[in-house]
């Protein structure tokens, strides 16, 4: 019949067998088969199998027809070109193309056309076998897509990604990874990952690695890496097993650089323990150390003494020569205090002109010698620009464990002793004696006076505006209590608040302030003033008292005050018992009031609570603002705190702004709210209304 090339047809001369074979091909061949005759520059179908009829949508074989009779023009054109090519070179040609079937379905096809050359070397017939490879192409595309997607995840990942084998040998690393480690690519690939892990963390890493190899995705919050030139990098680590044919062949190591965050945390932690002015340990450091000493002493019998040192006449000097001079003097005092040789002691600044010294010694004679040396440190004058300043130091001493085993009462007892020194002979020292705490008349007078103050209407509230440094507009107010007593006169809050805190009376005071502020807001509203938020200071003790939230709620209800108008100011100390604080803060948030952290930077600052608590505002303590354009370190701290707060979505208020230059700095670092004498002192409500509040115009 048709196919006369060498091969089976020659051998199968029996025409009936030939037609049987063709019959089988016709019905069962899963590919499309076309046999064409080539004549007068035209290709004509002479045989097509059943399957190809199906896909072409033909009911009978297109025998005798050309491409143009059966296919669209462009398809026919392109096929003809390929067929002619095959005829011309007398060679098979493979090609791939797409077909739209009669039912509209698009298929991908792979074809091979083979010219049949006759005995005189001419091509008369040509066979085309076409295979539907749609499924395969789809799969390949899918694979390719997955690969691309993976590659892009790898290449464009914001984290460093390294692929390692089960031994930890790196065979692939993305650009971020190269940048992170700082080595050239060729010094990372083919090296073991351990080379880049800091020795101190390597054991933990290996444990994790082993676990990941049995199929767990694991994470480490912090790991130290050794980058190029021994640079220390902190990273967050994730290990993800790479599975190939159901088997774990290695891991992806994902590293996120958290170095900057760790450094910030470190800086803030340091800040938490360091007195900004003198560089000595601060109150928090003191308490930490005391707690440690009182704990360890139990077992190790370590005795120590606490020396409470207070500078005599310092306040007077500070007031007459100004704070700058005062600060220089305090720094110099700190320097002298740490200069005594041959004793094992540490010095802390308790606040103001008070210092506390811990010395590991319980022998009274040795302690007396030491105290004498401290007093001698003040024999020579303090010089500032050719001016001599003379002042002395008074010291009260308590001993652990004789006088107390509790850190707080050790301080208090030393303070009682100090009172005595001040009363009797300034510039000397005294040891604590049991009966000393009976002689604290001032405290008692204040305390009993305070208890009558609410009923006698001796308290009143001043408001200090908080303003936008750019527009100079008042954004909010802080309520500050004042006490005017007939016998003491105007008592500064710092004189009675600590006593109120100690005795618990602060809860009455706090509730009174909350009530008065709400009442004031209602009054302003009544008079059609546009209300702005008011911050209320709440002492730690009050903050943690069960009645606090309810009293606040009650006041808001009574005066129908929008809770968003109230901001509760607490200090970092209120955060010290973290779990308890979270509950209260959540209740406050549910109530709808705002929360701010007062005096930030002077206490127990840790990043962790900032991140995890629902805080709205951070108030940077005045002691930092005072140092603007004087201390680069403090400027850095201010910037750090305010960047940090902004990152956490909090508002920042700079406290105690007294100079225009401080405003310039604050603008520069985009800290846009400030409070301080420069703009306004705390003033009475009437004055606030007339100078700082707007009226609704109807
Ligand atoms: P605070 O919360 O840090 O309040 C700010 C203090 O800084 C106020 O002192 C304010 O008058 C003062 N101040 C504001 N701007 C400047 C400035 O530019 N320069 C200077 N040198 N000082 C400025 P105040 O009113 O004597 O209050 C002292 C502290 O007493 C307050 O510090 C707060 O801790 C406490 N306090 C005041 N009122 C209350 C209250 O109602 N409840 C509680 N629990 N504590 C209060
Ligand atoms: Ca405050
Ligand atoms: Ca403050």
């Amino acid at each position: 019949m048709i196919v006369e090339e060498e091969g089976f047809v020659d051998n199968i001369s029996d025409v009936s067998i030939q037609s049987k074979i063709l019959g089988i091909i016709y019905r069962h061949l899963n590919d499309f088969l076309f046999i064409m005759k080539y004549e007068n520059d035209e290709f004509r179908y002479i045989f097509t199998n059943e399957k190809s009829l199906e896909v072409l949508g033909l009911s009978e074989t297109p025998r005798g027809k050309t491409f143009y009779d059966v296919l669209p023009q462009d398809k026919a054109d392109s096929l003809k070109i390929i067929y002619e090519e095959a005829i011309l070179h007398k060679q098979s040609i493979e090609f791939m193309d797409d077909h739209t079937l009669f039912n509209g379905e698009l298929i991908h096809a792979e074809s091979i056309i083979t010219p049949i050359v006759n005995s005189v070397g001419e091509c008369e017939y040509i066979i085309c076998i076409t295979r539907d490879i749609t499924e395969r192409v789809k799969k390949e595309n899918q694979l390719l897509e997955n690969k691309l997607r993976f590659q892009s995840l790898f290449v464009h990942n914001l984290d460093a990604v390294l692929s390692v084998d089960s031994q930890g040998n790196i065979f692939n690393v993305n650009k971020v990874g190269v940048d992170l480690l700082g080595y050239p690519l060729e010094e990372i690939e083919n090296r073991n990952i351990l080379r880049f892990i800091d020795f101190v963390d390597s054991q933990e890493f290996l444990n994790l690695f082993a676990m990941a190899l049995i199929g767990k995705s694991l994470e480490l919050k912090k790991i130290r890496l050794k980058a190029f030139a021994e640079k220390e990098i902190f990273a967050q680590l994730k290990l993800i097993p790479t599975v190939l044919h159901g088997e774990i062949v290695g891991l992806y190591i994902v590293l996120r650089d958290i170095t900057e965050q760790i450094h910030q945390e470190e800086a803030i932690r340091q800040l938490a323990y360091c007195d900004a002015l003198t560089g000595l340990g601060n109150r928090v450091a003191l308490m930490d150390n005391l707690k440690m000493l009182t704990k360890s002493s139990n077992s190790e019998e370590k005795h120590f003494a606490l020396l409470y040192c207070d500078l005599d006449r310092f306040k007077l000097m500070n007031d007459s020569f100004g704070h700058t001079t005062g600060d220089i003097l305090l720094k110099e005092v700190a320097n002298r205090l740490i200069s005594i040789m041959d004793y094992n002691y540490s010095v802390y600044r308790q606040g103001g002109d008070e210092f506390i010294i811990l010395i590991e010694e319980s022998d009274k004679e040795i302690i007396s010698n030491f105290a004498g040396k401290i007093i001698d440190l003040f024999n020579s004058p303090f010089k500032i620009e050719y001016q001599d300043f003379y002042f002395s130091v008074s010291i009260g001493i308590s001993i652990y464990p004789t006088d107390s085993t509790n850190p707080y009462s050790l301080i208090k007892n030393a303070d009682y002793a100090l009172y005595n020194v001040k009363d009797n002979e300034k510039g000397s020292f005294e040891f604590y004696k049991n009966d000393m705490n009976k002689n604290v008349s001032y405290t008692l007078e204040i305390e009993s006076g305070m208890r009558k103050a609410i009923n006698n209407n001796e308290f009143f509230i001043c408001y200090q505006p908080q303003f936008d440094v750019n527009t100079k507009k008042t954004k909010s107010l802080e309520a500050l209590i004042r006490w005017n007593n007939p016998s003491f006169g105007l008592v500064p809050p710092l004189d009675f608040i600590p006593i109120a805190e100690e005795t618990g009376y602060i809860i009455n005071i706090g509730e009174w302030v909350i009530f008065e502020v709400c009442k004031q807001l209602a009054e302003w509203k009544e008079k059609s003033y546009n209300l702005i938020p008011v911050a209320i200071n709440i002492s730690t003790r009050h903050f943690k008292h069960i009645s606090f939230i309810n009293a606040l709620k009650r006041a808001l209800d009574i005066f129908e005050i929008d809770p968003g108008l109230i901001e509760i100011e607490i200090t970092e100390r209120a955060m010290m018992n973290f779990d308890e604080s979270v509950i209260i803060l959540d209740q406050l948030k549910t109530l709808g009031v705002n929360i701010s952290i007062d005096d930030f930077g002077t206490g127990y600052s840790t990043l962790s609570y900032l991140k995890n608590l629902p805080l709205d505002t951070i108030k940077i303590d005045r002691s930092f603002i005072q140092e603007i354009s004087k201390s680069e370190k403090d400027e850095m701290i201010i910037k750090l705190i305010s960047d940090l707060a902004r990152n956490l979505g909090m508002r920042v208020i700079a406290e105690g702004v007294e100079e225009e230059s401080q405003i310039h700095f604050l603008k520069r670092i985009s800290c846009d709210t400030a409070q301080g004498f420069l703009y306004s002192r705390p003033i009475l409500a009437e004055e606030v209304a007339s100078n700082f509040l707007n009226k609704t115009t109807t």
Side-chain angles (χ1 to χ4, degrees):
M1 231 189 94
I2 2 147
V3 191
E4 287 176 3
E5 229 228 311
E6 75 257 62
F8 81 92
V9 184
D10 284 344
N11 300 325
I12 306 169
S13 46
D14 186 331
V15 174
S16 72
I17 292 184
Q18 277 188 22
S19 77
K20 266 188 194 146
I21 292 175
L22 285 173
I24 290 170
I25 292 176
Y26 180 79
R27 273 185 298 279
H28 301 301
L29 185 67
N30 232 343
D31 296 332
F32 314 138
L33 175 71
F34 308 95
I35 302 179
M36 317 286 290
K37 186 168 174 62
Y38 179 57
E39 214 170 42
N40 304 332
D41 277 350
E42 278 298 350
F43 297 93
R44 289 183 190 281
Y45 291 94
I46 53 170
F47 180 84
T48 48
N49 65 342
E50 193 171 22
K51 173 130 182 162
S52 45
L53 291 184
E54 245 169 62
V55 300
L56 291 175
L58 298 174
S59 54
E60 56 181 39
T61 145
R63 186 188 304 254
K65 294 191 171 152
T66 68
F67 292 136
Y68 293 94
D69 301 325
V70 178
L71 299 168
Q73 166 93 27
D74 53 342
K75 190 84 203 167
D77 280 344
S78 65
L79 275 182
K80 190 166 180 223
I81 291 171
I82 301 173
Y83 275 61
E84 279 169 346
E85 188 79 15
I87 296 282
L88 183 69
H89 296 107
K90 301 197 173 89
Q91 256 175 13
S92 295
I93 294 182
E94 288 176 36
F95 64 96
M96 289 207 259
D97 62 354
D98 297 338
H99 288 280
T100 312
L101 303 186
F102 74 100
N103 62 4
E105 187 190 339
L106 181 81
I107 63 163
H108 299 288
E110 182 181 69
S111 305
I112 174 160
I113 52 173
T114 312
I116 312 289
V117 183
N118 64 17
S119 51
V120 292
E122 284 170 353
C123 288
E124 238 180 303
Y125 300 103
I126 192 154
I127 300 183
C128 172
I129 297 176
T130 295
R131 174 163 294 176
D132 178 355
I133 55 163
T134 313
E135 279 309 306
R136 198 180 89 203
V137 170
K138 262 193 204 155
K139 259 191 208 136
E140 279 172 3
N141 281 349
Q142 184 107 45
L143 273 178
L144 187 71
E145 205 176 294
N146 283 349
K147 199 169 153 195
L148 287 177
R149 205 179 292 151
F150 170 76
Q151 258 180 2
S152 111
L153 208 64
F154 188 82
V155 175
H156 301 298
N157 206 308
L158 292 178
D159 297 329
V161 186
L162 297 93
S163 1
V164 300
D165 64 15
S166 57
Q167 306 299 310
N169 297 315
I170 301 167
F171 54 85
N172 213 343
V173 52
N174 67 355
K175 166 100 169 49
V176 184
V178 175
D179 292 347
L180 179 74
L181 296 174
Y183 287 95
L185 181 65
E186 56 279 10
E187 283 185 47
I188 300 175
E189 283 182 344
N190 302 319
R191 298 292 154 100
N192 196 285
I193 181 70
L194 273 183
R195 177 187 165 164
F196 305 105
I197 307 275
D198 194 310
F199 181 72
V200 279
D201 288 339
S202 57
Q203 194 50 50
E204 192 174 2
F205 174 79
L206 283 172
N207 294 343
L208 223 62
F209 194 91
M211 288 208 285
L213 280 181
I214 54 173
K216 296 198 174 101
S217 286
L218 296 163
E219 252 185 85
L220 202 60
K221 287 240 150 53
K222 186 174 98 184
I223 189 163
R224 262 159 290 200
L225 305 177
K226 255 184 331 193
F228 181 69
E230 297 297 301
K231 186 176 160 206
E232 187 181 54
I233 288 177
F234 292 94
Q236 215 174 48
L237 169 94
K238 247 187 226 161
L239 297 179
I240 303 161
T242 354
V243 182
L244 201 69
H245 307 307
E247 209 180 301
I248 296 170
V249 291
L251 301 176
Y252 290 114
I253 298 181
V254 183
L255 295 165
R256 174 168 299 178
D257 187 356
I258 52 165
T259 313
E260 197 172 328
Q261 182 190 337
I262 297 285
H263 284 171
Q264 279 191 352
E265 279 177 9
E266 186 53 34
I268 293 214
R269 214 180 57 81
Q270 275 216 347
L271 181 73
Y273 285 100
C274 181
D275 172 56
L277 176 67
T278 60
L280 295 175
N282 63 9
R283 217 177 304 160
V284 182
L286 170 73
M287 287 318 292
D288 263 21
N289 215 350
L290 269 180
K291 281 181 191 152
M292 209 177 62
L293 280 172
T294 49
K295 246 186 227 147
S296 66
S297 301
N298 292 336
S299 50
E300 295 164 28
E301 283 302 300
K302 222 185 235 172
H303 295 191
F304 66 88
L306 185 151
L307 286 75
Y308 204 133
C309 310
D310 184 286
L311 308 182
D312 304 316
R313 292 191 310 120
F314 186 82
K315 197 167 167 358
L316 186 76
M317 231 163 337
N318 201 30
D319 292 346
S320 11
F321 292 94
H323 291 295
T324 318
T325 307
D327 287 353
I328 299 174
L329 289 172
L330 285 173
K331 279 188 211 169
E332 179 54 23
V333 168
N335 285 340
R336 289 195 190 182
L337 286 178
I338 56 173
S339 68
I340 300 175
M341 312 288 261
D342 302 330
Y343 292 88
N344 191 6
Y345 72 104
S346 48
V347 185
Y348 306 84
R349 179 152 175 239
Q350 168 76 350
D353 58 352
E354 296 175 345
F355 297 83
I356 284 184
I357 297 177
L358 300 181
I359 173 167
E360 285 188 23
E361 190 53 70
S362 60
D363 183 318
K364 280 198 173 176
E365 205 178 309
I366 300 179
I367 298 169
S368 300
N369 278 336
F370 178 71
K373 292 204 171 188
I374 302 251
I375 286 168
D376 288 347
L377 291 175
F378 292 76
N379 288 343
S380 53
F382 292 79
K383 288 183 190 301
I384 297 179
E385 287 174 0
Y386 308 111
Q387 179 152 13
D388 287 353
F389 292 87
Y390 289 92
F391 51 95
S392 52
V393 61
S394 298
I395 307 172
I397 305 170
S398 62
I399 295 174
Y400 174 92
T402 331
D403 295 333
S404 172
T405 52
N406 172 285
Y408 295 96
S409 29
L410 273 173
I411 296 179
K412 180 158 291 165
N413 291 345
D415 196 17
Y416 287 136
L418 177 63
Y419 266 117
N420 255 38
V421 179
K422 291 255 177 191
D423 268 0
N424 300 331
E425 190 195 350
K426 287 196 173 106
S428 63
F429 66 89
E430 251 183 73
F431 286 93
Y432 169 75
K433 285 192 233 55
N434 264 330
D435 58 354
M436 278 178 172
N437 42 3
K438 292 190 186 117
N439 184 18
V440 276
S441 51
Y442 179 70
T443 311
L444 287 178
E445 272 177 65
I446 292 271
E447 203 202 322
S448 68
M450 224 166 29
R451 289 192 182 273
K452 292 178 218 136
I454 291 183
N455 284 338
N456 293 351
N457 278 331
E458 290 168 16
F459 286 134
F460 61 99
I461 294 179
C462 280
Y463 294 86
Q464 189 176 30
Q466 301 174 328
F467 63 100
D468 185 313
V469 295
N470 296 306
T471 62
K472 304 249 150 158
K473 286 220 173 85
T474 308
K475 294 200 337 201
S476 43
L477 303 165
E478 176 177 6
L480 295 158
I481 193 168
R482 297 290 176 258
W483 179 19
N484 194 3
N485 178 273
S487 36
F488 305 127
L490 204 55
V491 190
L494 289 180
D495 278 11
F496 66 89
I497 297 274
I499 297 173
E501 279 170 345
E502 217 167 281
T503 59
Y505 194 64
I506 192 67
I507 292 160
N508 305 55
I509 293 185
E511 291 189 356
W512 181 83
V513 174
I514 292 173
F515 190 87
E516 287 299 311
V517 168
C518 290
K519 190 163 106 188
Q520 185 62 64
L521 281 168
E523 191 185 312
W524 280 333
K525 190 168 157 197
E526 172 78 27
K527 293 183 177 160
S528 304
Y529 285 104
N530 290 335
L531 299 184
I532 53 176
V534 180
I536 300 175
N537 292 281
I538 296 296
S539 292
T540 304
R541 184 158 179 184
H542 187 192
F543 175 74
K544 296 192 171 172
H545 195 264
I546 43 166
S547 75
F548 167 49
I549 301 274
N550 277 333
L552 178 59
K553 223 187 276 180
R554 209 164 43 239
L556 291 170
D557 284 349
I558 292 174
F559 296 105
E560 297 178 356
I561 302 299
D562 168 7
L565 285 171
I566 299 293
E567 179 149 297
I568 296 298
E569 274 191 21
I570 45 178
T571 60
E572 296 160 277
R573 233 174 320 143
M575 302 294 121
M576 272 177 136
N577 188 338
F578 189 80
D579 294 339
E580 195 186 343
S581 319
V582 173
I583 298 172
I584 306 170
L585 291 177
D586 282 344
Q587 288 175 325
L588 284 175
K589 280 277 97 175
T590 314
L591 199 58
V593 300
N594 292 311
I595 303 160
S596 81
I597 292 289
D598 204 357
D599 306 341
F600 188 83
T602 58
Y604 177 76
S605 337
T606 81
L607 259 184
S608 59
Y609 78 66
L610 286 188
K611 254 190 267 173
N612 300 327
L613 294 176
L615 306 173
D616 303 283
T617 308
I618 286 184
K619 299 186 74 176
I620 303 179
D621 191 63
R622 198 174 83 218
S623 56
F624 295 106
I625 306 302
Q626 280 174 334
E627 292 302 310
I628 290 174
S629 63
K630 292 182 197 135
S631 150
E632 260 178 46
K633 185 176 152 225
D634 286 290
E635 289 188 351
M636 193 206 84
I637 289 171
I638 298 171
K639 181 167 178 339
L640 195 96
I641 296 174
S642 99
D643 287 349
L644 190 85
R646 235 195 333 271
N647 282 339
L648 296 171
M650 289 184 230
R651 200 161 76 107
V652 189
I653 300 183
E655 286 190 301
V657 172
E658 295 179 352
E659 287 161 25
E660 203 57 59
S661 63
Q662 294 161 345
I663 294 284
H664 292 318
F665 174 80
L666 295 173
K667 278 187 186 167
R668 216 168 42 240
I669 62 159
S670 315
C671 167
D672 46 19
T673 313
Q675 172 181 0
F677 293 171
L678 176 72
Y679 185 61
S680 168
R681 288 182 177 258
I683 46 176
L684 292 171
E686 299 80 66
E687 212 181 319
V688 173
S690 55
N691 292 349
F692 295 102
L693 296 184
N694 298 319
K695 279 213 172 185
T696 327
T697 44
T698 41

